[in-house]
Amino acid sequence: MAASRAPALSPKPPDCGDCPIRHRAVCARCESDELAELERIKFYRGYQAGQVVVSAGEPMGFVGSVVSGIATLTQTMEDGRRSMVGLLLPSDFVGRPGRETAAYDVTATTDLVMCCFRRGAFEKLMLRTPNIGQRLLEMTLDELDAAREWMLVLGRKTAREKIASFLATIARRDATLRPGAADGGIVFDLPLTREAMADYLGLTLETVSRQMSALRRDGVIRLQGNRHVTVPDLARLIEAAGDDSDGGLPG
Amino acid sequence: MAASRAPALSPKPPDCGDCPIRHRAVCARCESDELAELERIKFYRGYQAGQVVVSAGEPMGFVGSVVSGIATLTQTMEDGRRSMVGLLLPSDFVGRPGRETAAYDVTATTDLVMCCFRRGAFEKLMLRTPNIGQRLLEMTLDELDAAREWMLVLGRKTAREKIASFLATIARRDATLRPGAADGGIVFDLPLTREAMADYLGLTLETVSRQMSALRRDGVIRLQGNRHVTVPDLARLIEAAGDDSDGGLPG
DNA sequence: CATGGCAATTGATCTGCGTCAAGGAAAAGG
DNA sequence: CCTTTTCCTTGACGCAGATCAATTGCCATG
């Protein structure tokens, strides 16, 4: 969990089949020559768990998306209060065309591989390729919806409901990533520490811990170690979340 | 303050000089024939204070932007808990290309005029006119930033800070709408009831009221009636907001 | 001018979550 | 292996903000 800085090129870049920019973020409707152009300007970056990708206010020369691993988007006040404003899972896009500096701290919470494009080159390509902008608009609108869903969670839900909402979100996302496995319930690993969960949910880490224990006592979830979670009955979890049919994941 | 439904055409459509779609939302870089096309498919709608523009889940056949007046975007849980996820001020865009139904309740809190485009026609125009999509992407990214700023407010700020953040946001926005008037401080009218403020801030209306009174007692603001606010010293208000240089307005 | 309705204020009390503090469990590192 | 560090859990207590309840002020409208 070293938190040093210099990003390193990943030793073995994943092949294009793994690149969400191509398959999800940008190129769903691109022509082949546009794809070729994207290929020319793309490169991979690897980060270790705990490493800072960029800090808020720093120049950010690239945009890109997560290939594997998990990163967080956080904001910090001068007095140290922190708030997570996004959780970046594989295929999520990072960075903003037309902006010089990062608006938030981006941190890898697990080992992370990103597929990147130099910002300038990407912007120029966008001008010539409407599909890329279209796709980016769709993704941004999805993120906006997710952020707004989360405003309801932050502003109006109880601690227990917040935890349940978070777990349900992860469970659903995980379930779509690898379907099947409905046998003994949904099983996944929490991508965050209790503290990071607290920052995401507007709680303290103690409250997160207590509510996790409470959900365990009530049989809504099972825990093996600190991170490994089993949800025997997703419906019960969603019920505990006071769900307004939430589901989006703020990324 | 009737809350009936049927939208009415505004009696006297504002002239094009007032239309933010043309001037802000979409056409900053459009060619004249694109402008002409936009003119052909645009129309105005008027709503009375309290009227519902659309309800969440209902089909929404148009997109558009606010010309004058104020509207809110809210989400409600089955048990009645409500959360405001956006405040729509003049020039803000509403609606989502590519989506059939409204994701949130949109309600006019004052008399409201909107400049609208049929969704289908707008989408077709977007395909032929990259600039429109580009502009929409920029606006959406701004909204996303604002929503994320607001997540910090909701999750980590105290009641007093929340109120102060809200007032500072309104004050700033109002100041840019009509500059000058720095004489006796910034003066504006609150666009929301205490209850709506509470839904925006994740508080109860009683707490909003108490904190408003506290800010008045401390001389940070002055109140004439319930809605009319004077801020003698914006710096003091921002200080009270525990400000992390916020400023965006979630819309 | 009275009257009814809605919005806001203010007070009294309760409680969910934060704060402070002390261990315990699990990785990381030698 | 043991040591160190990091992360997590649990308890005791206090407080900010919710809840419950009563008034007050402000338009409307008859």
Side-chain angles (χ1 to χ4, degrees):
Chain A
M1 289 274 175
S4 62
R5 213 51 164 297
L9 275 171
S10 78
K12 181 175 73 67
D15 76 331
C16 292
D18 296 341
C19 177
I21 282 283
R22 173 156 170 193
H23 288 284
R24 202 194 105 134
V26 167
C27 286
R29 296 179 291 247
C30 284
E31 303 301 325
S32 58
D33 52 336
E34 293 160 354
L35 270 179
E37 179 115 20
L38 270 174
E39 287 300 317
R40 268 206 301 285
I41 65 171
K42 102 178 172 191
F43 57 96
Y44 292 91
R45 278 174 185 233
Y47 300 88
Q48 291 176 0
Q51 233 186 327
V52 173
V53 177
V54 275
S55 294
E58 277 184 356
M60 178 158 173
F62 65 94
V63 299
S65 69
V66 176
V67 174
S68 66
I70 286 158
T72 61
L73 243 48
T74 55
Q75 253 178 316
T76 309
M77 294 169 66
E78 317 83 52
D79 63 8
R81 282 178 285 179
R82 210 174 329 139
S83 170
M84 190 182 306
V85 298
L87 186 59
L88 300 168
L89 302 183
S91 91
D92 285 334
F93 191 81
V94 195
R96 172 162 178 171
R99 168 175 290 173
E100 307 271 317
T101 58
Y104 310 103
D105 297 319
V106 182
T107 312
T109 62
T110 66
D111 288 350
L112 178 74
V113 177
M114 297 203 30
C115 173
C116 304
F117 305 90
R118 277 201 319 107
R119 218 188 66 236
F122 190 81
E123 283 163 8
K124 271 182 219 139
L125 188 55
M126 260 182 69
L127 288 178
R128 272 178 291 135
T129 315
N131 282 339
I132 294 180
Q134 294 280 336
R135 187 73 192 96
L136 221 45
L137 177 58
E138 275 174 47
M139 293 181 70
T140 307
L141 284 164
D142 285 342
E143 278 186 72
L144 183 57
D145 279 345
R148 285 172 166 168
E149 292 279 342
W150 211 246
M151 286 173 66
L152 177 69
V153 173
L154 288 174
R156 289 297 182 211
K157 293 198 178 180
T158 65
R160 169 183 257 247
E161 290 172 328
K162 285 177 176 182
I163 299 287
S165 293
F166 175 72
L167 293 176
T169 298
I170 300 288
R172 258 183 290 228
R173 175 80 175 228
D174 230 69
T176 62
L177 283 186
R178 45 185 164 76
D183 37 306
I186 297 170
V187 177
F188 55 91
D189 286 298
L190 288 174
L192 301 177
T193 65
R194 298 288 186 267
E195 186 177 23
M197 285 176 65
D199 286 337
Y200 199 24
L201 298 167
L203 299 170
T204 60
L205 69 92
E206 293 95 330
T207 298
V208 170
S209 179
R210 272 187 256 272
Q211 295 297 334
M212 291 286 290
S213 299
L215 287 173
R216 176 169 45 69
R217 264 196 305 280
D218 297 351
V220 179
I221 61 173
R222 248 170 289 140
L223 289 170
Q224 297 153 70
N226 294 327
R227 301 292 194 94
H228 196 75
V229 179
T230 305
V231 180
D233 181 2
L234 186 59
R236 274 193 73 200
L237 180 65
I238 290 173
E239 179 189 353
D243 207 281
D244 177 53
S245 77
D246 110 22
L249 183 93
Chain B
M1 291 269 176
S4 63
R5 215 51 165 298
L9 277 173
S10 79
K12 183 174 72 67
D15 75 331
C16 292
D18 295 343
C19 176
I21 282 282
R22 173 154 169 193
H23 288 284
R24 201 194 107 134
V26 167
C27 285
R29 295 180 294 247
C30 283
E31 302 302 324
S32 59
D33 53 334
E34 293 160 354
L35 270 180
E37 178 115 20
L38 269 175
E39 287 299 317
R40 269 206 301 285
I41 65 171
K42 100 177 172 192
F43 56 97
Y44 292 91
R45 278 176 184 232
Y47 299 88
Q48 291 175 0
Q51 234 186 325
V52 173
V53 177
V54 274
S55 294
E58 278 184 357
M60 177 158 173
F62 64 93
V63 298
S65 68
V66 175
V67 175
S68 66
I70 286 158
T72 62
L73 243 49
T74 56
Q75 252 178 317
T76 310
M77 294 168 66
E78 316 83 53
D79 62 7
R81 282 179 285 179
R82 211 173 330 138
S83 169
M84 190 183 305
V85 297
L87 187 59
L88 300 168
L89 303 184
S91 92
D92 285 334
F93 191 81
V94 195
R96 172 164 176 170
R99 168 175 291 174
E100 307 270 316
T101 58
Y104 309 103
D105 297 319
V106 182
T107 312
T109 62
T110 66
D111 287 351
L112 179 74
V113 177
M114 297 203 29
C115 172
C116 303
F117 305 90
R118 278 201 318 107
R119 217 189 66 236
F122 191 81
E123 283 164 7
K124 272 182 218 137
L125 188 56
M126 260 182 70
L127 288 179
R128 273 179 289 134
T129 315
N131 283 338
I132 295 180
Q134 294 281 333
R135 187 70 192 95
L136 220 46
L137 176 59
E138 274 173 47
M139 293 181 70
T140 307
L141 285 164
D142 284 342
E143 278 187 73
L144 183 56
D145 279 345
R148 285 173 166 167
E149 293 279 343
W150 211 246
M151 286 172 66
L152 177 70
V153 174
L154 288 174
R156 289 296 182 211
K157 293 199 177 178
T158 65
R160 168 182 258 249
E161 290 171 329
K162 285 178 175 181
I163 298 287
S165 293
F166 175 72
L167 294 176
T169 297
I170 299 288
R172 258 182 289 228
R173 175 80 176 229
D174 229 70
T176 61
L177 284 186
R178 45 183 164 75
D183 36 306
I186 297 171
V187 177
F188 57 91
D189 286 297
L190 287 173
L192 301 176
T193 65
R194 298 289 186 266
E195 185 177 22
M197 284 175 64
D199 287 337
Y200 200 25
L201 298 168
L203 298 171
T204 58
L205 69 93
E206 293 95 330
T207 298
V208 170
S209 180
R210 272 187 255 273
Q211 294 298 335
M212 291 286 289
S213 299
L215 287 174
R216 176 169 45 69
R217 263 197 305 281
D218 297 351
V220 179
I221 60 173
R222 248 171 289 141
L223 290 170
Q224 297 152 68
N226 293 327
R227 301 291 194 95
H228 195 75
V229 179
T230 305
V231 180
D233 182 1
L234 187 59
R236 275 193 72 199
L237 181 64
I238 289 173
E239 179 189 353
D243 207 280
D244 177 52
S245 76
D246 111 20
L249 183 94

